[in-house]
Amino acid sequence: MRFELMLPHQIRDAIERNLPVLLPLGVLEYHGEHMAVGMDMLAVTRILDRLEQELDIVILPQFAYGAASYAVERPEGAGSVHVGADKILPIAEEIFFSLLRVGFRNIHGFIHHQTENFTAGMPTDLAFKLAGRQAIFRFLETQYGEGWWGSDRMRDYYTQHDEGIDPFNWICVHPLMDEKITQKYPFDHAGIGETSLMMALAPEVVDRDRFGDNSGWYTESAKDASAELGEMGVGLILDRLKELLVRDAT
């Protein structure tokens, strides 16, 4: 279900069923001459299009204006749009706080940009991770007042924490591809891995005739990309998302 298309009774039903609420996160960034600047965003949104056919989920409107950086290419004529993490943070916190106010308690952000070292984090995912934590603290204090954690209602906090059901799991941010996937599928920037994903998910944004126009080292393997390889990656991602979201909904 698309959140913007839902009626209030459907929203209440989703809350009652604790359905996963998914926020696609991305950036607009140069991905070589052969591929669209929205690749990172499209990887998430097109995967969720497929996931929606298999699971009951709520998909929020995408947030595409992440911290792309200009590390790959200058923006002039190349298309990268960079919004600093410090600017993203307050917006992200307001988004998450509002979703908690609505009543959702199973919120997940998914991002593909710069997630090769997700544990350490990069500006966009770090902004949303911190925003999620701050939104939860703010919401709980708004609802229960100062001292909420020390109150008797939180007596079983550590048990809840061990079971993964404490309030700080209400909002989670995940990489689209975790380490287990990247051990089986190439993770790169505009190379064989990402180009193959787009050939499978959004073939209209890949132009094979432009491979020869590339000059960056990171695009050298793109010529070996295929939709078949991309479908393998899609399958790995979908399997992980289904396992993750079904587990967290219980």
Side-chain angles (χ1 to χ4, degrees):
M1 291 182 287
R2 305 295 166 140
F3 182 72
E4 67 271 25
L5 302 179
M6 294 173 72
L7 302 180
H9 75 89
Q10 295 172 311
I11 293 172
R12 291 190 290 270
D13 179 67
I15 294 168
E16 178 67 24
R17 295 163 62 195
N18 197 34
L19 292 185
V21 177
L22 313 184
L23 175 60
L25 303 174
V27 301
L28 301 170
E29 181 188 30
Y30 181 76
H31 277 76
E33 296 295 313
H34 68 284
M35 196 154 56
V37 296
M39 184 275 150
D40 288 333
M41 187 80 263
L42 288 166
V44 179
T45 57
R46 295 295 175 94
I47 286 284
L48 296 188
D49 287 345
R50 296 199 188 188
L51 186 66
E52 188 180 19
Q53 306 306 311
E54 302 186 47
L55 289 183
D56 285 338
I57 55 177
V58 175
I59 302 177
L60 296 163
Q62 65 194 40
F63 183 92
Y65 296 99
S69 87
Y70 302 134
V72 173
E73 184 69 38
R74 294 174 59 88
E76 289 81 4
S80 295
V81 176
H82 173 78
V83 179
D86 59 322
K87 305 301 191 300
I88 297 169
L89 177 59
I91 297 173
E93 182 179 334
E94 292 304 317
I95 292 171
F96 285 140
F97 185 77
S98 292
L99 292 172
L100 293 174
R101 287 286 307 273
V102 169
F104 295 128
R105 301 291 184 269
N106 192 8
I107 304 164
H108 300 264
F110 286 98
I111 185 169
H112 179 63
H113 176 65
Q114 296 180 335
T115 54
E116 61 269 28
N117 191 5
F118 189 76
T119 301
M122 283 291 194
T124 303
D125 57 85
L126 286 173
F128 275 91
K129 288 176 187 176
L130 179 56
R133 287 290 182 264
Q134 292 186 165
I136 292 169
F137 270 110
R138 178 178 155 200
F139 177 79
L140 290 170
E141 188 167 312
T142 299
Q143 294 294 304
Y144 304 118
E146 294 178 349
W148 62 268
W149 189 87
S151 68
D152 199 58
R153 71 166 54 88
M154 296 300 294
R155 179 181 294 274
D156 59 348
Y157 169 78
Y158 287 108
T159 300
Q160 293 179 1
H161 185 274
D162 290 341
E163 295 175 355
I165 58 173
D166 71 272
F168 294 102
N169 284 320
W170 289 348
I171 301 172
C172 298
V173 178
H174 313 272
L176 189 65
M177 301 170 65
D178 65 1
E179 290 184 5
K180 291 183 179 179
I181 293 176
T182 58
Q183 289 171 0
K184 301 176 182 178
Y185 186 86
F187 187 96
D188 56 32
H189 179 81
I192 185 174
E194 289 195 337
T195 304
S196 293
L197 275 183
M198 286 298 96
M199 286 180 171
L201 293 167
E204 68 274 20
V205 306
V206 178
D207 187 348
R208 289 178 174 272
D209 293 337
R210 296 286 181 177
F211 286 155
D213 296 337
N214 287 318
S215 58
W217 60 268
Y218 49 89
T219 61
E220 290 174 355
S221 64
K223 65 182 185 304
D224 299 318
S226 69
E228 291 74 22
L229 178 61
E231 288 293 347
M232 185 191 83
V234 170
L236 292 170
I237 295 168
L238 285 174
D239 286 346
R240 172 180 172 257
L241 295 191
K242 285 183 283 187
E243 178 183 358
L244 173 69
L245 296 174
V246 170
R247 181 191 68 209
D248 283 0
T250 58

